[in-house]
Amino acid sequence: MVEKRNGAEAALSPDELQDLVASSDTGARNPAGLTSYVIAGVALCWSLFQLYIASPLPFTFSTLTRLPLVLNDTQIRSIHLAFGLLLAFLAYPAFAKSPRDRVPILDWVLAITAAFCALYIFIFYRDLARRPGLPITQDLVVAGIGMLLLLEATRRALGPPLMFVAIIFMGYVFFGSSAIVPDILRWGGASFARAMDQMWLSTGGVFGVAVGVSASFVFLFVLFGSMLDRAGAGNFFIKLSFAFLGHLRGGPAKASVLSSLMTGMISGSSIANVVTTGTFTIPLMRRVGYPAEKAGAVEVASSVNGQIMPPVMGAAAFLMVEYVGIPYSQVIQHAVLPAVITYISLLYIVHLEAVKRDMPVLARRKTGPLYLSLLRSLIVFVSFALALIGIYWLVKLIRMVMPDVSGTVLIALLLAAYVAAVWIAARAPDLELDDPNSPVVEIPSAKEVIRTGLHFLLPLFVLVWMLLVERRSPSLSAFYAVLLLIIIMITQKPLKALFRKMRQPKVWAEALEGWNDLIQGMILGARNMIGIACATAAAGIVVGTVTLTGVGQVMAQFVEFLSGGNIWLILIFTAIISLILGMGLPTTANYIVVSSLMAPVIVEVGAANGYLIPLIAAHLFVFYFGLMADVTPPVGLASFAASAISRADPMRTGVQAFFYEMRTALLPFVFVFNQELLLMDVTLWGAIFVAMKSTLAMLLFAAATQGFFMTKSRKWESAALLLVTFMLLRPGFFLDFVQSPYVQVEPRHVFEVVEQQPDDAELRIIIRGPSFDDPDEQLERTMAFNLGPKGEDGPTRFENATSIPARSENGTIILEEPLDLNSLAGRTLSEMDFYADEPVQLLGAEIEAERMPREIFYIPAVIILALVVILQRRRGGTLAGTPVPT
């Protein structure tokens, strides 16, 4: 990735960096002539199609023409994948040595054939609906060819790993009964017709939920990010970050973190994020004293973490909506605090690196004393918060006073705000990205930067407003945000020309340039979606295999066997699987594959062993470790991209980035056991307290891993900081040693206790019964259940929560076979014989105990922290840090 020129390492040129991004995200082939227009035209049509189906136009046209112009989900998925496969064969060459300046005839044939196989579901939708599960020869031929071409398209767009994973799972479908398959994984196998019906001809495989989410939600958000960047917002975010933080110690690194956060909110690609911000920030980091590996690692860590930052989250947020079954706004609520804490702690890490090396600060314009700068920042923040509150009540007032025309009035006000923002921007020169290698780099004024890009914030405001305040669907919210962005891209340049009183020809030239930016943004957005479309489709093979073969239940038994029911080992196994798969799979595909296999396993095995883990926590756990693979050597593509800019060794960059990302690896283990971090069941003030103490904990963790707090830490001081971190994040762990978390309930009183428990109380039950295989052997299981809402009598509430009918006989609670054999109890107790002479009975029960507040352990944590602070201050340390003595 880093070329040798004249015996020395040299950074890649801007064109070479863009080629690196293209080969990963948009396709490395860039033919000339008519072929280039065909590829661009197909990409543009794909964007227009996605905007059309997200808009109210299909319903309007159907009403006017009385024609069935509204497409259902299956038809949309078919067309969506047809576009993706067509462009995959046209935009991605077959091999590294394949021509990039033209499309070979064979690729044209493969592209058209693949598109037809995907469109087959749309063209013959009615016929397939009439014969569900009964495919004819024509169906099977098309499905078989489509599967092969999908695997080839996946190999081209994403590399071999995902293709091999899909092939392995398909092999399991056909040869699961083979003697070479371990007994625990063996199943009866499926015929070609059954497999193709599951994988291609129905919505249980390739055209399943993942492709549906890609077509409904992901495309619009990726398009939104591409268009916003093309409009100039990317440069605006970089300059704004540099204006805010560039003057601080290690300022370029802090600006890198902040700009990656802002671009990561709308970008689903860590590699593109690295190249976009890194070309400016990495040379500046090296200039102020960061070694090449650490400069690249900072950019990698901040760019990869952009995928955990709402609202886009690398497309995982939209998949979680479908997989977990909760609203999008709730996914954002659970994901936002860990993401923010991750970025704050990364800012602290780069600060500590700067302090340890006594790095110089870049000069900035005179802005007065520090306290005045802080006061101005506070005033800006408070003003922004008050403006948001004012907008909220203004909207409510307009809807109350003018309910019939409120929509028109609000649109007019939004457009007026846009025109005013452009007028403000026109009074200042347009932003130009500085050369980070120039002798003098002047830090811009934040006030001057903000005024040039206020109109870029309006689409983001509309998106967040529609999602979180109006509670509209993600697709409709993204559509309105893109619609406003289209208006901005077309009009911002000619409006600026008019406000600057330029001549008429210049205004028309600016308008034409705006149209060109719009078209290019739509084309780029579609090309960015090629890999995601292929990834979600190929990952659907894995999902289809899990559904068809029932291997998910086998995985639960297998993992429980390996872990012995230890929840920590289960989580460690899941993390390792995510990391290994993620080394070859893009984040979205890795999340689909591992969450399909392991997220239900975490929840089920945890509950089967007495731990209630929310499903959203398990999915976020899988997602966090999947994205770590973009960092982890030997494959971490983001590390290779950063090293191409920093002229560093990519392996060392990856190792350093992984070291920085240890805090990101810690958080999933924390929020699985402490759901407060996901803002579950907390009040507003509780959320503020959780945010403050969790942020402090992660800052201390960063200081401990860096070996530097107020000054260079001794080993025992770093260990003490780690202890304080754990006490702040999981105080209940220590309370469990002082007071038992559960109260024992005698079996004969269990119905009375269950009836009295509050809503959503936790119940742990211990069950003993004869083994189905050996009646003389007694099996014992401890399971956890959520009792749900209060209001029913004890036996009914017990049965509804556990799916286990129970009755009392002479003080003994006798359990009958679970009502639902696919429920948690049905699967966990499948080895017990409920019809033996000796009955299955409730051996014991536990409910949550009333204990002293777990926050009591914050007191010793504060004492230990104070001791470390006192000792380090005696050695000359300050909260801002001091240079390491030489």
Side-chain angles (χ1 to χ4, degrees), residues 561-715:
F561 169 75
L562 290 178
S563 64
N566 186 300
I567 190 63
W568 284 99
L569 290 179
I570 294 169
L571 294 176
I572 291 171
F573 289 153
T574 304
I576 293 172
I577 291 172
S578 299
L579 280 173
I580 293 174
L581 285 176
M583 288 183 186
L585 306 187
T587 305
T588 304
N590 180 40
Y591 166 71
I592 296 170
V593 172
V594 183
S595 66
S596 300
L597 286 172
M598 299 304 300
V601 172
I602 293 174
V603 175
E604 181 171 324
V605 177
N609 291 275
Y611 298 96
L612 282 181
I613 298 174
L615 186 56
I616 182 64
H619 277 264
L620 284 171
F621 182 93
V622 167
F623 177 60
Y624 266 59
F625 278 99
L627 70 88
M628 290 288 290
D630 272 353
V631 177
T632 311
V635 183
L637 295 179
S639 299
F640 277 88
S643 64
I645 302 171
S646 65
R647 294 175 288 179
D649 180 82
M651 293 300 174
R652 292 181 180 177
T653 300
V655 170
Q656 183 64 54
F658 184 80
F659 184 70
Y660 286 156
E661 286 289 79
M662 285 174 59
R663 75 207 189 286
T664 307
L666 171 68
L667 281 173
F669 285 98
V670 174
F671 61 58
V672 161
F673 295 103
N674 184 5
Q675 287 92 45
E676 283 184 347
L677 197 60
L678 301 180
L679 300 182
M680 300 179 72
D681 301 322
V682 295
T683 63
L684 174 61
W685 292 110
I688 294 174
F689 176 73
V690 168
M692 293 174 62
K693 65 107 173 179
S694 300
T695 302
L696 173 61
M698 292 308 298
L699 295 182
L700 295 177
F701 179 79
T705 55
Q706 289 294 305
F708 194 96
F709 182 34
M710 300 172 68
T711 186
K712 186 176 181 179
S713 299
R714 292 167 180 160
K715 290 183 179 180

Side-chain angles (χ1 to χ4, degrees), residues 347-625:
L347 281 171
Y348 187 56
I349 286 175
V350 299
H351 171 74
L352 292 178
E353 287 281 9
V355 170
K356 284 194 293 184
R357 296 179 177 274
D358 194 20
M359 294 180 184
V361 296
L362 296 177
R364 67 176 301 180
R365 299 176 187 177
K366 296 295 184 180
T367 57
L370 177 61
Y371 74 89
L372 287 180
S373 298
L374 295 175
L375 181 61
R376 280 195 293 267
S377 300
L378 179 62
I379 292 173
V380 170
F381 176 79
V382 173
S383 301
F384 182 72
L386 292 175
L388 291 179
I389 295 173
I391 291 171
Y392 175 79
W393 287 107
L394 177 63
V395 171
K396 293 196 70 172
L397 179 63
I398 291 174
R399 286 179 172 168
M400 182 176 63
V401 175
M402 298 176 285
D404 296 332
V405 295
S406 60
T408 304
V409 172
L410 291 174
I411 291 173
L413 290 175
L414 180 64
L415 293 177
Y418 162 63
V419 173
V422 175
W423 177 76
I424 294 173
R427 300 178 63 187
D430 293 334
L431 291 179
E432 293 184 4
L433 196 61
D434 296 330
D435 180 7
N437 297 307
S438 64
V440 178
V441 177
E442 184 178 5
I443 298 175
S445 165
K447 179 180 178 181
E448 294 177 2
V449 174
I450 290 175
R451 65 189 296 187
T452 64
L454 282 173
H455 55 292
F456 293 136
L457 302 180
L458 291 176
L460 288 171
F461 172 79
V462 169
L463 178 63
V464 175
W465 179 275
M466 297 294 290
L467 284 171
L468 302 183
V469 180
E470 301 289 339
R471 299 296 177 94
R472 300 294 180 91
S473 68
S475 58
L476 191 61
S477 302
F479 169 75
Y480 285 126
V482 170
L483 196 62
L484 176 58
L485 191 52
I486 290 173
I487 295 173
I488 291 175
M489 294 184 74
I490 294 173
T491 62
Q492 64 167 335
K493 290 184 177 179
L495 278 178
K496 284 183 182 179
L498 286 173
F499 289 139
R500 289 168 178 168
K501 299 180 180 179
M502 295 182 177
R503 296 174 179 264
Q504 196 70 18
K506 180 63 174 176
V507 175
W508 284 111
E510 293 290 308
L512 184 62
E513 188 174 340
W515 271 103
N516 181 63
D517 288 340
L518 173 62
I519 300 300
Q520 292 300 319
M522 286 190 168
I523 293 171
L524 183 61
R527 294 190 65 158
N528 281 332
M529 272 301 300
I530 300 172
I532 296 177
C534 293
T536 52
I541 297 175
V542 177
V543 178
T545 301
V546 172
T547 305
L548 180 62
T549 65
V551 71
Q553 297 180 23
V554 177
M555 284 293 296
Q557 298 172 5
F558 185 61
V559 170
E560 185 173 15
F561 169 75
L562 290 178
S563 64
N566 186 300
I567 190 63
W568 284 99
L569 290 179
I570 294 169
L571 294 176
I572 291 171
F573 289 153
T574 304
I576 293 172
I577 291 172
S578 299
L579 280 173
I580 293 174
L581 285 176
M583 288 183 186
L585 306 187
T587 305
T588 304
N590 180 40
Y591 166 71
I592 296 170
V593 172
V594 183
S595 66
S596 300
L597 286 172
M598 299 304 300
V601 172
I602 293 174
V603 175
E604 181 171 324
V605 177
N609 291 275
Y611 298 96
L612 282 181
I613 298 174
L615 186 56
I616 182 64
H619 277 264
L620 284 171
F621 182 93
V622 167
F623 177 60
Y624 266 59
F625 278 99

Side-chain angles (χ1 to χ4, degrees), residues 196-279:
M196 291 303 100
D197 181 69
Q198 172 77 17
M199 297 298 176
W200 196 269
L201 301 174
S202 70
T203 57
V206 170
F207 297 98
V209 170
V211 168
V213 170
S214 175
S216 301
F217 306 146
V218 178
F219 191 102
L220 291 175
F221 279 81
V222 171
L223 179 64
F224 177 75
S226 298
M227 292 173 60
L228 195 59
D229 183 64
R230 183 73 186 188
N235 185 22
F236 169 70
F237 288 149
I238 294 173
K239 295 284 282 188
L240 187 62
S241 304
F242 197 55
F244 277 132
L245 302 177
H247 65 286
L248 302 175
R249 192 185 292 268
K254 294 172 182 174
S256 171
V257 174
L258 184 59
S259 59
S260 294
L261 182 153
M262 290 190 287
T263 55
M265 291 174 65
I266 56 173
S267 167
S269 171
S270 55
I271 300 171
N273 206 357
V274 166
V275 173
T276 300
T277 59
T279 50

Side-chain angles (χ1 to χ4, degrees), residues 293-361:
E293 286 84 5
K294 291 193 175 185
V298 168
E299 182 58 50
V300 170
S302 54
S303 296
V304 168
N305 284 344
Q307 293 189 76
I308 64 175
M309 177 59 68
V312 177
M313 291 176 62
F318 314 110
L319 289 162
M320 287 180 196
V321 170
E322 300 296 326
Y323 289 158
V324 183
I326 60 177
Y328 178 81
S329 57
Q330 201 168 332
V331 172
I332 299 304
Q333 171 189 325
H334 297 322
V336 65
L337 183 56
V340 171
I341 290 174
T342 295
Y343 270 105
I344 293 175
S345 57
L346 183 57
L347 281 171
Y348 187 56
I349 286 175
V350 299
H351 171 74
L352 292 178
E353 287 281 9
V355 170
K356 284 194 293 184
R357 296 179 177 274
D358 194 20
M359 294 180 184
V361 296

